[in-house]
Amino acid sequence: MRKPIIAGNWKMHKTMEEAVDFTEKVKGLVPSNAQVDTVICAPFLFLDRLVKEVNGYNVKIGAQTMHYEEKGAFTGEVSPAALKGIGVSHVILGHSERRELYNETDDSVNKKVLSAFRYGMIPIVCVGESLEQWENGETNEHVGNQVKRALQGLTEEQVKCLVIAYEPIWAIGTGKSSTAEGADEVCGHIRQVIENNFSKEAADAVRIQYGGSVKPENIRDFISCPNIDGALVGGASLDPDSFLALLEASINE
Ligand SMILES: O=C(CO)COP(=O)(O)O
């Protein structure tokens, strides 16, 4: 059985003080590493401090994006080398907000995924369809293509340890979550795409999260599905009690 992985995506929320206060409240209360992988993906500015705050606890710190180059004239960007250098272990890549607002493409996501591995970080690769694509029945085709293109050039071993987050765009921050059955079917399709492009072993090992209006009240519905191994959570990850409740509810019985 795959170990669940719960990642909070804080997006552009919190001040340094609030971020530190959050980690102080949760770090001693998170379930054990044997039960669940816990990741907090915070704004760049807080990462260095948060890595130090959670040292020795079952909490990993992730970034929400990065550049794929090691260094260079890219004003405002942050390199994989800089992130790895301060102890960041995970990085969200290809979030729909980055694709939509900051011109992230399948090609740049692929470069970033390869780069994350080069620097020993685990990518959380986001894929998902728009409302229109969903209504037109194009979800599997669109999401399958995103997965194929994001993972191009990876080895089977790399695929086994990455994380894919299936986030239907119409379910993000809307309070409208996919049905668990619907999400599980898409995650099953993602697994099939990985089997076709890599191997059955890779498809069985890769962890797939669902994201989009996940809360303590509905996480169990998703996590109990055969193809869903965790959640990427926005709004409900911002409050310590809510985040802890998500972790507790995700533990495999
Ligand atoms: O985008 C998301 C996580 O990456 C989902 O956000 P919400 O949980 O706020 O819907």
Side-chain angles (χ1 to χ4, degrees):
M1 189 175 262
R2 294 176 291 265
K3 188 177 15 159
I5 174 163
I6 304 299
N9 176 9
W10 282 358
K11 308 191 180 183
M12 199 177 72
H13 289 282
K14 297 192 187 293
T15 61
M16 177 74 91
E17 201 184 340
E18 289 164 350
V20 171
D21 184 56
F22 178 100
T23 45
E24 270 168 7
K25 283 189 175 132
V26 305
K27 66 186 180 186
L29 299 172
V30 295
S32 75
N33 180 256
Q35 295 170 303
V36 61
D37 282 340
T38 306
V39 188
I40 295 171
C41 299
F44 285 133
L45 201 56
F46 313 151
L47 297 175
D48 182 45
R49 176 77 184 272
L50 294 186
V51 166
K52 291 173 182 137
E53 288 287 333
V54 301
N55 187 23
Y57 294 90
N58 180 32
V59 181
K60 297 274 194 291
I61 300 299
Q64 299 173 7
T65 183
M66 64 174 204
H67 201 283
Y68 49 81
E69 294 285 359
E70 183 192 347
K71 59 185 167 189
F74 303 104
T75 302
E77 290 290 320
V78 174
S79 75
L83 293 174
K84 181 64 182 176
I86 59 167
V88 167
S89 57
H90 292 68
V91 56
I92 297 174
L93 297 174
H95 191 281
S96 60
E97 287 151 17
R98 302 289 317 172
R99 292 180 192 255
E100 204 174 324
L101 303 170
Y102 303 99
N103 306 319
E104 194 86 85
T105 62
D106 286 331
D107 182 51
S108 64
V109 173
N110 178 240
K111 286 185 172 135
K112 291 178 183 200
V113 171
L114 290 164
S115 181
F117 276 115
R118 216 173 297 131
Y119 287 88
M121 290 181 287
I122 298 175
I124 300 176
V125 182
C126 300
V127 295
E129 80 286 5
S130 66
L131 183 59
E132 196 187 344
Q133 289 166 324
W134 183 66
E135 284 171 348
N136 292 338
E138 295 163 6
T139 298
N140 280 356
E141 192 192 342
H142 177 71
V143 167
N145 278 335
Q146 284 183 317
V147 169
K148 246 188 282 179
R149 296 183 64 177
L151 307 193
Q152 225 166 341
L154 292 189
T155 66
E156 194 185 324
E157 289 313 305
Q158 288 172 327
V159 174
K160 284 182 188 171
C161 58
L162 63 72
V163 179
I164 293 177
Y166 166 57
E167 301 201 308
I169 298 169
W170 49 270
I172 295 176
T174 57
K176 217 196 285 182
S177 55
S178 168
T179 62
E181 296 72 32
D184 188 57
E185 196 195 313
V186 181
C187 293
H189 177 70
I190 292 172
R191 240 176 251 293
Q192 190 58 53
V193 168
I194 291 178
E195 181 173 336
N196 297 346
N197 287 271
F198 293 90
S199 67
K200 170 102 175 71
E201 290 70 34
D204 286 343
V206 68
R207 288 185 293 176
I208 306 179
Q209 299 174 313
Y210 169 74
S213 299
V214 173
K215 302 175 192 66
E217 305 82 64
N218 65 10
I219 190 169
R220 197 68 228 154
D221 299 341
F222 292 101
I223 210 108
S224 52
C225 292
N227 286 301
I228 301 177
D229 311 306
L232 182 58
V233 188
S237 75
L238 294 168
D239 172 74
D241 292 336
S242 167
F243 190 61
L244 287 168
L246 289 164
L247 292 171
E248 285 299 332
S250 72
I251 297 170
N252 287 323
E253 276 129 21

